[in-house]
Amino acid sequence: MEDSAAVAGLLWDRWLSANVRALVSGVLPDGEADGRRLAVWLAGVHDIGKATPAFACQVDQLADVMRGLGLEMRTRRQFGPDRRLAPHGLAGQVLLGQWLEERRGWTGRQSGQFAVVVGGHHGVPPDHGQLKALQDRPHLLRTPGPSRGLWQRVQEELLEACAEEFGVAGRLGVWRAVKLPQPVQVLLSALVIVADWIASNPDLFPYFPQAAGRTSAERVAAAWRGLDLPEPWRAQLPPEDVGELFGGRFGLPPGAVVRPVQEAAVRLARGMSAPGLLVIEAPMGEGKTEAALAAAEVFAARSGAGGVFFALPTMATGNAMFPRLLDWLKRLPAGGGTRISALLAHSKAALNEAYADLMRGSAQRITAVAVDEEERVWRPREDRRAAPAEVVAHAWLRGRKKAMLSSFVVGTVDQLLFAGLKSRHLALRHLAVAGKVVVIDEAHAYDTYMSAYLDRVLSWLGAYRVPVVVLSATLPAGRRRQMAEAYAGAEGGAAGEGFDVVGRSDAYPLLTAVAPGGTAVVESPRAAARGVEVCLERLDDDFGVLAGRLAVELAGGGCALVVRNTVRRVLETARVLRERFGEDAVTVAHSCFIDVDRAANDAALLARFGPPGKSEGRPAGPHIVVASQVAEQSLDVDFDLLVSDLCPVDLLLQRMGRLHRHTRGTGQAERPARLRAARCLVTGVDWTGQVPLPVRGSVAVYGAHGLLRSAAVLLEHLDGRPVRLPQDISPLVQAAYGDGPVGPAGWAEAMGQALRRHEEHRKDQAERAGVFRLDAVGRPGRALIGWVAAGAGDADDTRTGRAQVRDSRESLEVVVVQRRPDGSLATVDWIAPGKAGLELPMDRPPSPRAARTAASCGLRLPSQFSSAEVMDRAIAELEELYVPAWQVKESHWLAGQLILALDADCQTRLAGFRLRYSPLDGLEVTRA
């Protein structure tokens, strides 16, 4: 009790961010002093449920000592299965509630909102059924008969002692009138969990403290120094001069002009009545990432947030963002802290070189230190000097359930959506995001299923008063309003006229600011990027026609990007184009490459087709990149000509962002003469009928409704009027995603059928998302009883975990190795020298280098393996290659992984399919 309470006090003083402390303290009569008392007291009493017969019977020799002192109890066997109805967290909640009611005069409603923190300290607050089952079996809490009163005396003596020791005895009468908001209950629960985990660590707190001859204060001080948790970021309000701010944080040269969108974002972040939601919609290349980080710094300084979480749609985009975040952190004044913690949060983070370097440089041993060891100097918050901080990946904060507690986190959006999923230890995820500024990138990339989770998370973030920055190049107005209303606590459209302006505006670029609980403000700065006019043209969906057209267009040289909606079409297209243009003239990019090849492909694309001055080796002669949707986002690449399968209009506009993205000479004079005007050829459609007929693969990916509305709003552009970027972005997106009729009268029947299927699909998505989705924020004073009841268990960044917050079938992830002719295994033979062909022995753990190299060759199998029948068969076949020697701690890179062994020709069979892998083309799957 003493250790947990002391740790909670240190966490409050030195680790919790100011905004979390303020939220807890703001509902208590004595402010921060009461907030600290409450946190310390709840941590101190959290294990009171162990002072019960149901718990105390577990160790015979200890139970006998208690029996000898009059505390009678049954044996563990005599209790039978009933004992499982009294886990000590639940028992503690009941005991604390009874004590508050019987000894302090509280009502059950008043006590429940405090006692539930004790009940949920193992990750799941009890539900009403569990409470009733325990209350119906009082013998689990106190043995009936003569010793019942003694059990109650012991329990009450401990609770009275805690109330006195931790300074709340005189406050409990005042707190009776407090109605704890549910967000405060969650944060207190999380703080108690963290304090419990630290105090329960025997390396920090040895079991026999008296053997060390330390006082309690010395014991706690030694443990805290051994843990050495980095303190939260304490942001300072940055310079008012936006040019100075961007120059200092992003290395802009003197005299460089800050873009209007960036300037407006910082101004709105400074001017809002309180830090809240800021939605930034702007074209590709406007510097939205830098605007978000600058706004985050302002928000953090104003709110007391202790870090930033940057959520991105994929692991690849997260990997690309992490070094950029580290660069930004190195330029920040530390706000007085000596170190700040940073984390890359996805399942393959350890394979990211920037994060791996950070971990290697942050090695530490978590253990209590000698009493007389020099203590790290700690000064009050106001006595801090602005100096750059050391960025570390703290060892204690790397665990699966603790990782998000780091101050600065880059991760996939799944990590944010998990905060809306009923799951164990959800309170820790809420504490993690409640103490940060949250940045959500590529917000347009989320479907109805994911949006249902995102909106619920936004509603909780608004309740926590967490500043949020949302970034998008193309956001439908209706979706923008849904997010604003969710954050303001008006899910379902109850916000009224104050949000009409958000749903009506089609200005672009557009910034929308929403203070917590307040109305929305919109502002439309001008775009800084030069305008581009893109001429659209229909192209028959025939590989021969495509090859012939590209031959004409690239006759004078140039680089073309062909974007297909499925990997299968990517590979078929590449095969035909190589026959026409040669192997060296065609590059393939899609998601079905092993991780190390995927990263190399992205780097190669940036190196060859990136911005002028930053890229080298741009092909002079004809070159064609055939890609899937991986080319849509987060790659600053520039092509002379674009060919795209028809897709939803916002995604087509994203693809157009890779066309003439940069100026190459005056009037694009450095591009081939035929390609100096930007053109996009739209294919993947049978254009000959009365109604366009998209190919089956595109319909499977996007649905007919989105494709037909995209074609409808693009008609006038396909018939001659160029698309003006950025002016036409918002009108096209709002028309395509609006409710109004679009397209010729002859399309009405087909579009009506597609709409009905689309609405049925959205309804189904919303209903399925609601199964495990967290409830909305309850009224103040309502206890968190049953908060995550009937939940999804543990939420983690695995294929199963991601499927819970994304509307996608589970996918299989494998580690790809090669089988040599003699039957032995090795890392694949085409990757970088020094990593290729490393031995993977089956009778012992591989070398760390070989194991890490193998793990870097992860591959997510395509949709052919996602049906339940095929997946089960594939898993059964993959598990035949089970290597016991790899399932040990020393081989953590490969333990638990499914291994896919290719032969010397990079082929194998799996679950009725033939798999062929090529470093040039990735994985190709055909029926065996």
Side-chain angles (χ1 to χ4, degrees), residues 322 326 349-350 352-363 391 393 852:
F322 190 66
L326 293 181
N352 178 276
E353 288 301 329
Y355 185 58
D357 288 344
L358 189 63
M359 288 195 295
R360 283 190 288 269
S362 308
V391 181
R852 188 178 191 275

Side-chain angles (χ1 to χ4, degrees), residues 11 32 192 290-291 410 414 471 482 607 709 757 799 814 856-857:
L11 289 171
E32 179 135 348
V192 169
E290 290 78 9
V410 173
D414 310 80
L471 306 179
Q482 287 171 350
R709 286 193 71 92
R757 290 193 297 271
R799 63 176 185 272
V814 298
S856 72
C857 297

Side-chain angles (χ1 to χ4, degrees), residues 306-319:
V308 174
F309 173 51
F310 212 111
L312 297 117
T314 64
M315 292 185 192
T317 52
N319 285 337

Side-chain angles (χ1 to χ4, degrees), residues 474-534:
T474 50
L475 195 63
R479 184 72 198 108
R480 180 195 312 136
R481 176 169 182 159
Q482 287 171 350
M483 288 193 291
E485 290 177 338
Y487 184 83
E491 281 185 279
E497 295 183 2
F499 284 79
D500 285 349
V501 64
V502 179
R504 285 198 310 264
S505 180
D506 62 356
Y508 193 78
L510 184 70
L511 276 68
T512 305
V514 183
T519 56
V521 175
V522 298
E523 182 174 327
S524 181
R526 65 179 177 86
R530 63 183 179 83
V532 177
E533 290 193 349
V534 181

Side-chain angles (χ1 to χ4, degrees), residues 287-552:
K288 293 189 292 293
T289 297
E290 290 78 9
L293 292 173
E297 186 176 353
V298 174
F299 276 156
R302 295 187 61 200
S303 69
V308 174
F309 173 51
F310 212 111
L312 297 117
T314 64
M315 292 185 192
T317 52
N319 285 337
M321 181 64 205
F322 190 66
R324 297 177 67 182
L325 181 84
L326 293 181
D327 287 343
W328 175 66
L329 287 177
K330 292 171 185 175
R331 297 172 183 268
L332 281 177
T338 55
R339 298 176 310 144
I340 49 180
S341 55
L343 179 97
L344 178 60
H346 62 67
S347 60
K348 298 180 180 180
L351 298 172
N352 178 276
E353 288 301 329
Y355 185 58
D357 288 344
L358 189 63
M359 288 195 295
R360 283 190 288 269
S362 308
Q364 70 182 111
R365 183 176 174 224
I366 303 298
T367 185
V369 298
V371 177
D372 57 357
E373 181 172 316
E374 182 179 350
E375 184 173 1
R376 182 182 297 276
V377 176
W378 181 81
R379 299 183 180 88
R381 299 180 188 281
E382 61 272 12
D383 184 23
R384 305 298 181 102
R385 296 191 300 178
E390 177 190 2
V391 181
V392 298
H394 193 274
W396 194 80
L397 294 172
R398 292 181 205 164
R400 180 167 56 90
K401 294 178 180 178
K402 298 178 290 188
M404 289 286 291
L405 295 171
S406 296
S407 296
F408 293 90
V409 180
V410 173
T412 59
V413 72
D414 310 80
Q415 298 288 353
L416 179 64
L417 300 182
F418 285 149
L421 180 72
K422 291 181 179 180
S423 56
R424 290 184 63 84
H425 291 105
L426 181 62
L428 288 178
R429 289 190 178 274
H430 279 228
L431 175 62
V433 295
K436 297 181 177 66
V437 179
V438 174
V439 181
I440 305 169
D441 199 8
E442 307 279 6
H444 55 273
Y446 311 135
D447 61 14
T448 300
Y449 189 93
M450 295 175 70
S451 295
Y453 278 97
L454 179 57
D455 287 353
R456 184 54 46 84
V457 172
L458 285 171
S459 71
W460 279 88
L461 292 178
Y464 287 121
R465 301 174 197 160
V466 169
V468 178
V469 183
V470 175
L471 306 179
S472 179
T474 50
L475 195 63
R479 184 72 198 108
R480 180 195 312 136
R481 176 169 182 159
Q482 287 171 350
M483 288 193 291
E485 290 177 338
Y487 184 83
E491 281 185 279
E497 295 183 2
F499 284 79
D500 285 349
V501 64
V502 179
R504 285 198 310 264
S505 180
D506 62 356
Y508 193 78
L510 184 70
L511 276 68
T512 305
V514 183
T519 56
V521 175
V522 298
E523 182 174 327
S524 181
R526 65 179 177 86
R530 63 183 179 83
V532 177
E533 290 193 349
V534 181
C535 296
L536 266 58
E537 182 181 335
R538 299 173 183 84
L539 183 69
D540 291 341
D541 188 55
D542 179 276
F543 294 129
V545 170
L546 172 64
R549 181 62 181 273
L550 288 174
V552 172

Side-chain angles (χ1 to χ4, degrees), residues 430-769:
H430 279 228
L431 175 62
V433 295
K436 297 181 177 66
V437 179
V438 174
V439 181
I440 305 169
D441 199 8
E442 307 279 6
H444 55 273
Y446 311 135
D447 61 14
T448 300
Y449 189 93
M450 295 175 70
S451 295
Y453 278 97
L454 179 57
D455 287 353
R456 184 54 46 84
V457 172
L458 285 171
S459 71
W460 279 88
L461 292 178
Y464 287 121
R465 301 174 197 160
V466 169
V468 178
V469 183
V470 175
L471 306 179
S472 179
T474 50
L475 195 63
R479 184 72 198 108
R480 180 195 312 136
R481 176 169 182 159
Q482 287 171 350
M483 288 193 291
E485 290 177 338
Y487 184 83
E491 281 185 279
E497 295 183 2
F499 284 79
D500 285 349
V501 64
V502 179
R504 285 198 310 264
S505 180
D506 62 356
Y508 193 78
L510 184 70
L511 276 68
T512 305
V514 183
T519 56
V521 175
V522 298
E523 182 174 327
S524 181
R526 65 179 177 86
R530 63 183 179 83
V532 177
E533 290 193 349
V534 181
C535 296
L536 266 58
E537 182 181 335
R538 299 173 183 84
L539 183 69
D540 291 341
D541 188 55
D542 179 276
F543 294 129
V545 170
L546 172 64
R549 181 62 181 273
L550 288 174
V552 172
E553 299 293 346
L554 302 178
C559 304
L561 173 64
V562 179
V563 184
R564 297 305 209 185
N565 292 338
T566 65
V567 173
R568 181 174 181 176
R569 282 175 61 81
V570 169
L571 295 175
E572 291 173 344
T573 302
R575 192 174 297 116
V576 171
L577 294 181
R578 282 181 178 139
E579 291 175 358
R580 183 68 175 263
F581 294 91
E583 292 282 335
D584 295 338
V586 178
T587 299
V588 166
H590 56 71
S591 59
C592 288
F593 280 88
I594 61 174
D595 293 333
V596 66
D597 285 347
R598 171 83 181 272
N601 290 345
D602 288 351
L605 287 174
L606 287 170
R608 300 181 76 187
F609 305 102
K614 294 184 179 180
S615 57
E616 298 178 359
R618 184 179 180 89
H623 196 94
I624 306 162
V625 174
V626 187
S628 66
Q629 293 87 338
V630 298
E632 281 175 11
Q633 56 195 19
S634 301
L635 281 179
D636 187 5
V637 289
D638 172 29
F639 290 90
D640 304 312
L641 176 70
L642 173 66
V643 181
S644 174
D645 282 348
L646 179 67
C647 59
V649 72
D650 54 332
L651 303 183
L652 186 62
L653 290 166
Q654 290 275 7
R655 296 174 187 184
M656 289 185 200
R658 276 65 192 158
L659 177 63
H660 285 216
R661 187 179 180 95
H662 299 286
T663 300
R664 295 189 179 273
T666 304
Q668 302 289 3
E670 294 177 9
R671 300 186 192 271
R674 188 178 179 88
L675 304 177
R676 289 172 188 165
R679 281 179 294 150
C680 172
L681 312 181
V682 183
T683 185
V685 182
D686 181 354
W687 297 105
T688 61
Q690 182 180 13
V691 180
L693 183 64
V695 296
R696 289 176 56 189
S698 296
V699 174
V701 173
Y702 297 116
H705 172 72
L707 296 174
L708 288 177
R709 286 193 71 92
S710 178
V713 301
L714 290 171
L715 269 181
E716 64 173 316
H717 302 287
L718 289 164
D719 290 334
R721 188 170 83 81
V723 175
R724 299 167 303 154
L725 301 179
Q727 297 96 316
D728 289 335
I729 290 178
S730 186
L732 284 170
V733 172
Q734 307 318 325
Y737 284 92
D739 297 326
V742 292
W747 294 19
E749 182 178 354
M751 295 188 75
Q753 292 175 354
L755 175 60
R756 286 189 289 274
R757 290 193 297 271
H758 173 69
E759 289 177 338
E760 290 172 1
H761 178 62
R762 289 185 60 185
K763 181 181 178 182
D764 175 65
Q765 282 188 315
E767 289 175 351
R768 286 185 290 109

